[in-house]
Amino acid sequence: MRVLVTGGAGFIGSHVVDALRERGHDPLVYDIRRDPHADVRYPAAVAEALVGVDAVCHQAAMVGLGDGVADAAEYVSRNDLGTAVLLAAMAEAGVRRLVLAGSMVVYGEGRYACALHGVVRPGPRAPGDLDGGRFEPRCPVCGDALLAGLVGEDAPADPRNVYAATKLAQEHLSAAWARCTGGSAVSLRYHNVYGPRMPRDTPYAGVASFFRSALARGEAPRVFEDGRQRRDFVHVRDVAAANVVALEAPSPPGALTAYNTGSGEPHTVGEMARSLAVACGGPDPVVTGEYRLGDVRHITADSSRLRADLGWRPETGFHEGMREFATAGPASE
């Protein structure tokens, strides 16, 4: 297959390009890092890039939590306008296969259960609770403690920040494209991706990158909240492999299929910081109690559908991956 990889020079996209080549495909990189004209918001440039293409792997996006709503227009422009331009060009060019870099942020908070009221959906966390160190969501009915669990793809979407809202909009746009054209679309809802080529200390880098950079300076990683927030850290090579199997597998025409894409091994942010500190031989993490209002407490999802439907399995374990990541260079090196 000839595959256009938008964002193909970026952190995840470059690994997708490598994985496609290893499987005998012909990836074409479309990325403003290589060519300032290679912007998914430019219709003529996108149309030209799609000539002779069999499928698109859409990785290009502005990522990260965002700064309130101050940068909302830029997020919407890059993520949603860019996706709309790309999909319109694909419809015109007759390209009918799409794999989208989705995100678990579309769920908002994870799945919670109350001993009395069963599965519940807590609302956004209040600044007063966070200021007081009360980080765990409570039952919205009785106020009791909740048990966090795994989120399935059928859970209702509840984006809690601007970035999350744009990632959900990308899925809606892709689903509309699939219905209109008879194309097939897959959204891989990535968890916390880490690994070689991860950007260093940018506003949109993952927390793993900030921890690693602090350790490289001989400083202790600074862990927000109490460090007990749960995430699923998945290695970038495993995510790239998921993209390839999603492109190769048959998908239902006229619809979008979403797959949670995680390691299946939830760990706390504090565990991740400690694992990196051990691997780097650096100082122990410092738990600061600070928070970001748009963050959620726990988000770990059930990735069994991806395993069952496409036969994908993550190959890099948590501690093995963190040891590699501790010494891997960022994309700029």
Side-chain angles (χ1 to χ4, degrees), residues 119-168:
V119 175
V120 295
R121 293 191 63 78
R125 296 187 293 172
D129 288 337
L130 297 171
D131 289 335
R134 297 181 294 276
F135 302 118
E136 294 288 346
R138 312 293 289 188
C139 176
V141 181
C142 66
D144 281 355
L146 298 173
L147 179 65
L150 300 179
V151 181
E153 287 91 347
D154 57 351
D158 185 17
R160 298 286 176 97
N161 55 59
V162 167
Y163 170 63
T166 65
K167 296 306 290 183
L168 182 58

Side-chain angles (χ1 to χ4, degrees), residues 147-230:
L147 179 65
L150 300 179
V151 181
E153 287 91 347
D154 57 351
D158 185 17
R160 298 286 176 97
N161 55 59
V162 167
Y163 170 63
T166 65
K167 296 306 290 183
L168 182 58
Q170 283 186 315
E171 289 194 357
H172 289 320
L173 289 166
S174 299
W177 165 84
R179 286 192 297 270
C180 289
T181 65
S184 65
V186 171
S187 177
L188 298 175
R189 291 174 175 171
Y190 299 161
H191 277 257
N192 292 70
V193 186
Y194 73 96
R197 306 176 201 161
M198 194 173 194
R200 184 195 298 277
D201 292 343
T202 73
Y204 310 110
V207 67
S209 177
F210 284 98
F211 290 168
R212 183 185 62 178
S213 294
L215 289 161
R217 296 191 299 268
E219 301 171 3
R222 295 176 59 83
V223 181
F224 279 15
E225 300 187 20
D226 58 3
R228 296 176 184 170
Q229 53 272 48
R230 295 170 72 238

Side-chain angles (χ1 to χ4, degrees), residues 135 207 211 220-229 268-274 284-291 297:
F135 302 118
V207 67
F211 290 168
R222 295 176 59 83
V223 181
F224 279 15
E225 300 187 20
D226 58 3
R228 296 176 184 170
Q229 53 272 48
T268 68
V269 173
E271 282 181 274
M272 186 263 284
R274 287 192 295 275
D284 290 338
V286 174
V287 177
T288 69
E290 297 172 88
Y291 64 87
R297 178 60 174 174

